[in-house]
């Protein structure tokens, strides 16, 4: 094969640099032990030969690798994209690198009755076989069985976004009950006394908790809360549900509290087509996952709850390091949510008077913090 060269070995690097194999090993693993000119000579030899070390030997000796693993559900959900960003940037800031796997769990498909592939347990086993230095599981279902299978092989394990009582690992959560409460409190502050909670059934934990928070706030504030099920989590589901609700929405001002932003956008599209129901004067619309960024291209900005995905990922990496310390005590960290108020509840004039698209409460930091 033209241009093919056999993989260079550490012995070849030592010969090229005129040093011992031990000196090359120090250059790679403990560069502070070498004089600057020796380190430079070895590095130049590595670059000329194209040498890449194998981590297999180190992993065999130490029984773990330097890598961290992250398993997420389907990356269609921006929450898990932000969790991955927070985890990767925080890991990199602390000299670690992150390998990510997508388990393909999709709550919309689950609600629609589509069979799930869901490779979460398979990826847990894969990271255990690789003796990964720690695994973070960002989950939408109970990971306990899969974790129990690998527990003797991977000790630092952190679960993000799923709460298991008395878990034998650290947990990072957002306050999903606060998501429901914040949506109701927002519309109550606008004088709205009637609302629809529009959601898939309680088939995943975040939906259960958001519904619970909305019910609690509605009871406390005297809001009439009607619960309506959608068949999925896409804009088409919100569009169809709002069409069916249209006769009931006339009369008293009402809010639609959609379990995610895609459903909320479908509601807005249907209301715009309907014409005789004005947003937000007749119907106000709230999304609950901060997924939508209109970029000025939409006819109306959406009020939405903002979730602390980035901070959850960063906190997960911190806890992976903490799990490896002697005498570690597991932590259960619950991060607050924020809200971005837009024209779908506030109206154009109100949001423009504010000088931006809304406001933030308890917004997560967008920077990795050192471990």
């Amino acid at each position: 094969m033209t241009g093919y060269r056999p993989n260079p070995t550490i012995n070849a690097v030592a010969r090229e640099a005129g040093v011992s194999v031990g000196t090359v090993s120090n250059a790679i693993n403990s560069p502070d032990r070498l004089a600057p000119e020796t380190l430079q000579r070895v590095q130049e030899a590595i670059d000329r030969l194209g040498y890449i070390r194998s981590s297999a030997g180190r992993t065999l000796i130490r029984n773990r690798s330097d890598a961290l693993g992250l398993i997420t559900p389907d990356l269609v959900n921006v929450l898990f994209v932000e969790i991955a960003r927070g985890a990767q940037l925080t890991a990199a800031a602390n000299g670690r690198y992150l390998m990510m796997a997508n388990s393909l769990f999709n709550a919309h498909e689950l609600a629609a009755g589509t069979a799930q592939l869901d490779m979460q347990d398979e990826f847990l086993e894969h990271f255990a076989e690789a003796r990964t230095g720690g695994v973070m599981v960002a989950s939408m279902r109970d990971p306990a069985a899969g974790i129990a299978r690998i527990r003797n092989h991977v000790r630092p394990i952190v679960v993000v976004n799923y709460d298991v009582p008395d878990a034998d690992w650290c947990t990072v959560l957002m306050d999903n009950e606060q998501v429901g409460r914040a949506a109701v409190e927002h519309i109550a502050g606008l004088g709205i006394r009637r609302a629809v909670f529009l959601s898939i059934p309680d088939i995943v934990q975040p939906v259960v908790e958001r519904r619970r928070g909305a019910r609690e706030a509605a009871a406390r504030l005297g809001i009439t809360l009607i619960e309506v099920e959608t068949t999925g989590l896409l804009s088409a589901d919100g569009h169809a549900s709002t069409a069916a609700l249209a006769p009931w929405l006339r009369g008293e001002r009402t809010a639609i509290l959609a379990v995610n932003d895609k459903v909320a956008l479908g509601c807005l599209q249907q209301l715009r087509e309907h014409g005789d129901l004005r947003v937000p004067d007749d119907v106000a619309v709230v999304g609950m996952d901060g997924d939508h960024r209109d970029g000025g291209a939409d006819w109306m900005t959406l009020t939405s709850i903002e979730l602390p995905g980035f901070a959850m990922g960063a906190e997960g990496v911190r806890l992976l390091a903490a799990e490896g310390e002697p005498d570690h005590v597991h932590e259960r960290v619950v991060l607050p949510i924020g809200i971005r108020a837009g024209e779908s509840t506030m109206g154009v004039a109100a949001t423009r008077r504010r000088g931006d698209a809304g406001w933030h409460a308890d917004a997560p930091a967008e920077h990795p913090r050192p471990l």
Side-chain angles (χ1 to χ4, degrees):
M1 183 183 294
T2 304
Y4 171 78
R5 294 188 302 172
N7 293 329
T9 65
I10 192 170
N11 292 292
V13 173
R15 288 194 299 270
E16 179 77 11
V19 298
S20 70
V21 170
T23 298
V24 177
S25 179
N26 280 335
I28 295 169
N29 300 307
S30 305
D32 54 310
R33 294 184 179 181
L34 300 184
E37 58 273 16
T38 304
L39 181 60
Q40 181 178 352
R41 190 162 74 251
V42 173
Q43 188 59 57
E44 288 172 351
I46 288 172
D47 292 342
R48 282 195 300 274
L49 296 176
Y51 172 75
I52 298 176
R53 73 174 181 180
S54 169
S55 63
R58 284 166 53 85
T59 300
L60 185 63
I61 293 168
R62 301 162 63 207
N63 200 35
R64 68 176 177 85
S65 76
D66 292 324
L68 302 175
L70 170 64
I71 302 171
T72 66
D74 200 318
L75 290 176
V76 169
N77 190 329
V78 75
L79 170 67
F80 300 109
V81 175
E82 287 300 301
I83 287 173
R85 287 184 62 244
Q88 185 161 17
L89 288 172
T90 305
N94 291 279
R96 306 295 295 272
Y97 63 94
L98 192 74
M99 299 187 296
M100 190 176 76
N102 181 4
S103 74
L104 300 177
F105 181 98
N106 185 292
H108 165 73
E109 292 179 355
L110 183 64
T114 304
Q116 296 287 292
L117 179 58
D118 191 7
M119 299 177 67
Q120 179 173 282
D121 292 349
E122 287 87 342
F123 283 127
L124 278 167
E125 190 161 332
H126 170 78
F127 284 136
E129 289 175 358
R131 297 300 188 263
T132 305
V135 179
M136 185 178 354
V137 188
S139 190
M140 289 286 281
R141 67 166 176 86
D142 190 343
I147 291 175
R149 180 172 171 78
I150 70 165
R151 203 52 163 138
N152 291 334
H153 303 288
V154 179
R155 191 63 198 169
I157 293 176
V158 173
V159 173
V160 179
N161 196 58
Y162 196 95
D163 195 16
V164 177
D166 303 317
D168 183 28
W169 53 75
C170 287
T171 303
V172 183
L173 306 165
M174 74 178 96
D175 192 339
N176 264 305
E177 289 192 22
Q178 187 189 7
V179 171
R181 289 195 303 269
V184 173
E185 288 166 356
H186 175 68
I187 60 105
L190 299 175
I192 299 173
R193 315 308 298 169
R194 189 172 73 156
V196 176
F197 182 76
L198 192 57
S199 173
I200 60 173
D202 289 351
I203 56 175
V204 288
Q205 193 177 76
V207 171
V208 175
E209 294 173 346
R210 291 177 194 184
R211 189 187 306 275
R212 187 185 301 138
R215 286 173 175 173
E216 184 279 324
R220 172 167 44 87
L221 297 170
I223 306 296
T224 299
L225 186 68
I226 307 300
E227 299 181 25
V228 175
E229 287 188 0
T230 68
T231 55
L233 292 168
L234 301 181
S235 60
D237 302 300
H239 190 279
S241 295
T242 305
L245 283 168
W248 185 81
L249 293 173
R250 291 183 178 84
E252 182 181 351
R253 190 184 183 197
T254 304
I256 297 177
L257 312 178
V259 75
N260 73 352
D261 285 14
K262 287 185 175 68
V263 170
L265 290 171
C267 298
L268 285 177
Q269 291 162 5
Q270 172 61 229
L271 291 167
R272 188 183 194 189
E273 293 166 10
H274 220 275
D276 64 333
L277 289 171
R278 301 165 299 162
V279 180
D281 303 299
D282 300 317
V283 183
V285 179
V286 179
M288 289 193 184
D289 66 359
D291 189 1
H292 180 61
R293 299 291 185 274
D294 63 271
D298 289 352
W299 69 289
M300 177 172 288
T301 58
L302 175 67
T303 294
S304 182
I305 308 299
E306 296 203 311
L307 310 182
F310 189 98
M312 291 168 76
E315 190 70 5
V317 171
R318 179 189 74 80
L319 290 174
L320 280 177
E323 282 254 349
E325 295 297 323
D327 303 319
H328 168 73
V329 177
H330 292 316
E331 298 181 47
R332 180 179 179 275
V333 178
V334 182
L335 298 174
I337 54 88
I339 186 167
R340 182 183 70 245
E343 295 163 2
S344 66
T345 59
M346 303 290 291
V348 174
T351 52
R352 288 182 180 173
R353 279 199 303 272
R354 301 178 71 89
D356 56 29
W359 54 275
H360 294 265
D362 301 319
E366 280 292 312
H367 302 284
R369 77 190 204 192
L371 300 180

